């Protein structure tokens, strides 16, 4: 087995051919196209969510449904992605990465096309659930492929690179969605998503080789899968990182779910202005992620980076709550947008660090570990979605309160379960040289 964090390099086919001897390595020869494909797979959730956001008020009017019901189209899609990862992740440990991924993407295409022809809010909710179940394959298997290929500092840097690629999705998706609404109605958004799904599926079929050789696959059935999940969750530190990522994502999704109504209904912005602000915030997330990957990783401990990101999230959520509650008097769009920018940008520190620190502990079951990471984040995100609208559409207090609660819970999980100060001399699967920086 290759020592994690070594400088050994190879491409995707070489890893597949090495069979049981293959271990995650700090590869620096992964082709640009494969990197783009993996980034595209991680972009499936933001594409499915964010391109649709500017259309939420229009869907509410077109389907004659209240805002709370239409927000369930976000919740069910997110819940589907959570459940789908629990199914697809262990499948990829058993059957390899390619087959479950291709099957999921084909179903995603069909479900997205059905969303475009939905005639009621109930049908749209059902089709969005199926879309989420199938779309889960992209994100959970992309993380598992990264774990197959990388370890240690190299994995943290590659996750930051993926954030650069997948981060383009939340930047351009609302902008595209806003422009689609200028040309057609909300159904056109799902037509475009269907086309994106077809293109991505063809790229996966043609360009993404298998990264999990047969000798490293699990042969057990449901019982073995459940035992693997149990063993992973029994690791206090791993479970701590799972909760940190889940609560941080819930704070982010509270923004994603509520911001169309907060920005457009409360502050009177147009769909195009909302899309522009959402894009700026996404640029902040991507920029901070790149600063993390290029400047901090390898120089500053991952736990320190994660703690800083969580503190910034809590600070931004606190300021948003104070502003929305009127503590500073009437507040315009610019201060609120600034607070939302800081909250979203801080995720550029939190997300890559959480994924890396969790997956470093689970080289033996990357698919299942990726599934637990993804499922927990999407489940808590789906819970945050209806909570932000509990007081109606005329106040941002519920959104800010949910964000602050999630930020505090993420910090509590980090300090109470991960306890990085107790693990400074402990091997996290990194080499001695890396251990001092992790």
């Amino acid at each position: 087995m290759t020592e994690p964090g070594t400088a050994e390099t190879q491409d995707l086919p070489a890893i597949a051919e090495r069979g049981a001897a293959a271990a995650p390595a700090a590869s620096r020869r992964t082709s640009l196209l494969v990197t783009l494909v993996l980034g595209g797979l991680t972009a499936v959730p933001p594409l499915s969510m964010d391109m649709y956001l500017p259309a939420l008020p229009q869907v509410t009017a077109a389907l004659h449904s209240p805002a709370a019901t239409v927000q369930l189209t976000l919740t069910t899609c997110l819940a589907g992605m959570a459940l789908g990862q629990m199914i697809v992740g262990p499948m990829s440990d058993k059957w390899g990465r390619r087959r479950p991924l291709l099957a999921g993407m084909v179903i995603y295409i069909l479900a997205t096309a059905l969303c475009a022809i939905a005639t009621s809010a109930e049908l749209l909710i059902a089709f969005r659930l199926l879309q989420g179940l199938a779309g889960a394959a992209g994100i959970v298997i992309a993380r598992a492929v990264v774990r197959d290929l990388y370890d240690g500092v190299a994995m943290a840097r590659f996750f930051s690179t993926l954030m650069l690629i997948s981060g383009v999705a939340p930047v351009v998706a609302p902008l595209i969605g806003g422009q689609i609404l200028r040309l057609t109605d909300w159904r056109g958004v799902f037509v475009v998503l269907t086309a994106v799904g077809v293109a991505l599926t063809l790229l996966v079929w043609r360009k993404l080789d298998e990264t999990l050789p047969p000798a490293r696959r699990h042969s057990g059935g449901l019982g073995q899968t459940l035992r693997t999940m149990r063993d992973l969750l029994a690791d206090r530190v791993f479970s701590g990182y799972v909760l940190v990522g889940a609560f941080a994502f819930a704070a982010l999704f509270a923004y994603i779910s509520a911001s169309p109504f907060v920005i457009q209904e409360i502050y009177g912005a147009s769909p195009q202005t909302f899309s522009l602000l959402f894009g700026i915030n996404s640029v902040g997330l991507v920029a901070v992620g790149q600063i993390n990957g290029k400047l901090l990783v390898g120089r500053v401990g991952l736990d320190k980076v994660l703690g800083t990101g969580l503190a910034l999230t809590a600070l931004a959520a606190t300021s948003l709550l104070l502003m929305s509650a009127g503590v500073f008097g009437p507040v315009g769009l610019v201060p609120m947008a600034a607070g939302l920018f800081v909250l979203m940008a801080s995720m550029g520190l939190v997300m890559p660090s959480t994924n890396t620190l969790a997956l470093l502990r689970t080289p033996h079951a990357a698919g299942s570990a990726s599934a637990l990471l993804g499922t927990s984040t999407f489940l808590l995100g789906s819970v945050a979605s209806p909570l932000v609208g509990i007081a109606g559409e005329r106040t941002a207090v519920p959104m800010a309160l949910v964000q602050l609660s999630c930020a505090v819970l993420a910090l509590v999980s980090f300090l109470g379960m991960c306890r990085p100060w107790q693990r400074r001399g402990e091997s996290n699967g990194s080499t001695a040289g890396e251990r001092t920086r992790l």
Side-chain angles (χ1 to χ4, degrees), residues 23 36 49 189 212 316 332 433:
L36 291 173
M49 297 289 179
V189 173
L212 187 69

Side-chain angles (χ1 to χ4, degrees), residues 3-6 147 151-154 302 357 360-361 423-438:
E3 274 294 313
T6 61
R147 188 64 184 96
D151 210 334
V153 167
L302 292 180
L357 288 164
L360 275 173
R361 303 183 69 86
R423 296 181 289 108
R424 288 176 182 170
E426 175 185 311
S427 174
N428 273 334
S430 56
T431 63
E434 287 178 330
R435 204 173 302 146
T436 60
R437 297 189 292 273
L438 294 175

Side-chain angles (χ1 to χ4, degrees), residues 81-317:
M81 288 182 178
L83 179 60
Q85 289 183 69
M86 288 296 289
I87 297 171
V88 178
M91 286 173 59
S92 75
D93 282 339
K94 182 176 181 179
W95 293 316
R97 313 303 186 199
R98 264 181 65 88
R99 285 188 292 171
L101 176 57
L102 286 170
M105 292 304 298
V106 169
I107 298 172
Y108 173 85
I109 293 169
L110 296 175
T112 306
L114 289 173
C115 288
I117 60 174
T119 56
S120 68
E122 291 75 19
L123 281 176
L124 183 58
I125 289 170
F127 295 149
R128 289 280 281 176
L129 175 63
L130 181 60
Q131 183 190 41
L133 285 167
I139 187 169
V140 70
I141 293 181
R143 272 197 305 262
V145 167
V146 173
R147 188 64 184 96
D148 292 341
L149 297 174
Y150 293 91
D151 210 334
V153 167
M155 180 164 54
R157 287 177 176 153
F158 196 82
F159 273 126
S160 293
T161 300
L162 285 189
M163 181 167 288
L164 172 62
I165 301 166
S166 63
V168 173
V171 173
V172 302
L175 297 174
I176 295 173
Q179 296 307 311
I180 290 173
L181 296 179
R182 297 171 72 96
L183 303 174
T184 181
D185 62 7
W186 61 272
R187 299 179 189 277
V189 173
F190 289 107
V191 173
V192 173
L193 284 172
T194 302
V196 169
V198 170
L200 188 56
T201 303
L202 289 175
L203 280 173
V204 169
W205 179 49
R206 295 289 301 274
K207 301 297 181 181
L208 186 62
D209 295 322
E210 180 60 63
T211 60
L212 187 69
R216 291 175 54 205
R217 298 175 190 176
H218 295 178
S219 58
L222 178 60
Q224 178 61 41
T225 297
L226 294 177
R227 284 190 293 272
T228 299
M229 295 284 189
R230 180 198 62 195
D231 292 341
L232 290 173
L233 292 175
D235 181 346
R236 171 180 53 79
V237 178
F238 172 78
S239 295
Y241 287 124
V242 168
L243 289 176
V244 168
F247 284 122
F249 184 81
L252 177 62
F253 195 73
Y255 157 70
I256 293 173
S257 181
S259 59
F261 297 98
V262 170
I263 301 300
Q264 295 181 78
E265 301 295 332
I266 297 178
Y267 291 96
S270 67
Q272 288 71 39
T273 300
F274 162 73
S275 299
L276 177 62
L277 290 175
F278 196 95
I280 291 173
N281 291 345
S282 299
V283 168
L285 185 152
V286 172
V288 172
Q290 295 316 293
I291 291 172
N292 179 35
K294 304 299 183 183
L295 299 179
L296 300 181
V297 170
R299 296 180 177 89
V300 181
L302 292 180
D303 279 307
K304 291 181 181 178
V305 172
L306 177 55
T308 301
L310 293 174
L312 287 173
T313 303
L315 180 63

